[in-house]
Amino acid sequence: MAAHHSLILAFGLLGNIISFMVYLAPIPTFHKVHKKKSTEGFQSLPYVVALFSSMLWIYYAILKQGATLLITINSVGCVIETVYIALFLFYAPKKSRIQTVKLLVLLIAFGYGFMVIMTMFLAKGEKRIQIIGWICLVFNLIVFAAPLCIMRKVIRTRSVEFMPFPLSFFLTLGAVMWFFYGLLLKDYNIAFPNVLGIIFGIVQMVLYIVYRNAKKILEEPKLQELSDHIIDVVKLSTMVCPELNPVVLQPNDVENDITVEDENLKEKIEETKEEVKELSVQV
């Protein structure tokens, strides 16, 4: 029995440490947001969902008893996610800010509040624990299924830009720790969702290994194509307008060679520059 409790404590502590590192993973993102004073198209949904998930598990652990390590990490998670959401609201444009507030009201105020009130008045004892346990289980399955969108994007774009390997690794490792913690506690509401987390985590890491160099390989033909387009445009421009030949041969002396009277030549040069820019955007 002593060994069994030691294992529960060990897996719980490791789960706390790894989950804490995962909670800190968005710090570089928010450092970039703070530096540029803009959320740059980032979404608040992951942070609101993470906050809601942490609150659910705290409520469940309080009712369950004996799952103190769930309370500790999810309390820390609530604080960290609240800070992220506050930073997002501070730097987000008005439209994103309104959407985030609506999401917070919907999930936290109505969703969580309604669930707590209903379970407090309509269920008691073990039945209440079972209901909250099932809610946590279903919600965690949804959270663990969320990376399917990212994995689909990786396969479609052949790029792992939005699926960093360290994050996938630590999420998988965390799922392993919480799986064994729930298994040793004989709490399948904790253990079962983490099986899905382990599976998806392994798939993400495999995809990373498969596609980690694919973007570089794909970019090289694109750059060559862009270079060919630019050369074609320059050749065409010199054929149509022979006056541009000195400009093409001596690009550094363009401004020195052109006088105020060369308005037509200036215009043609600007048109050529614009065409090159348009081609680069298309490629």
Side-chain angles (χ1 to χ4, degrees), residues 161-179:
E161 184 182 357
F162 298 101
M163 194 180 70
F165 185 84
L167 184 58
S168 299
F169 175 76
F170 283 111
L171 282 170
T172 307
L173 197 59
V176 170
M177 297 305 153
W178 289 117
F179 167 74

Side-chain angles (χ1 to χ4, degrees), residues 158-160 207-219:
R158 301 176 71 83
S159 168
V160 293
L207 283 175
Y208 185 91
I209 292 165
V210 171
Y211 292 113
R212 70 183 186 277
N213 295 320
K215 188 179 178 185
K216 189 178 179 181
I217 293 166
L218 287 170
E219 279 176 350

Side-chain angles (χ1 to χ4, degrees), residues 174-193:
V176 170
M177 297 305 153
W178 289 117
F179 167 74
F180 282 109
Y181 179 77
L183 194 66
L184 291 166
L185 275 177
K186 295 182 180 179
D187 190 327
Y188 301 107
N189 293 320
I190 299 172
F192 183 70

Side-chain angles (χ1 to χ4, degrees), residues 16-77:
N16 269 251
I17 294 165
I18 295 164
S19 295
F20 180 69
M21 291 170 71
V22 171
Y23 278 129
L24 295 181
I27 285 179
T29 298
F30 280 95
H31 175 70
K32 189 189 291 185
V33 167
H34 172 69
K35 199 173 178 182
K36 297 193 174 182
K37 312 297 181 188
S38 169
T39 52
E40 297 184 315
F42 290 112
Q43 300 296 316
S44 61
L45 181 62
Y47 313 109
V48 177
V49 167
L51 176 62
F52 182 70
S53 178
S54 294
M55 291 171 70
L56 270 180
W57 282 114
I58 290 171
Y59 184 46
Y60 175 75
I62 290 169
L63 294 175
K64 174 79 177 175
Q65 297 181 349
T68 309
L69 291 171
L70 268 181
I71 297 173
T72 54
I73 188 57
N74 284 291
S75 297
V76 171

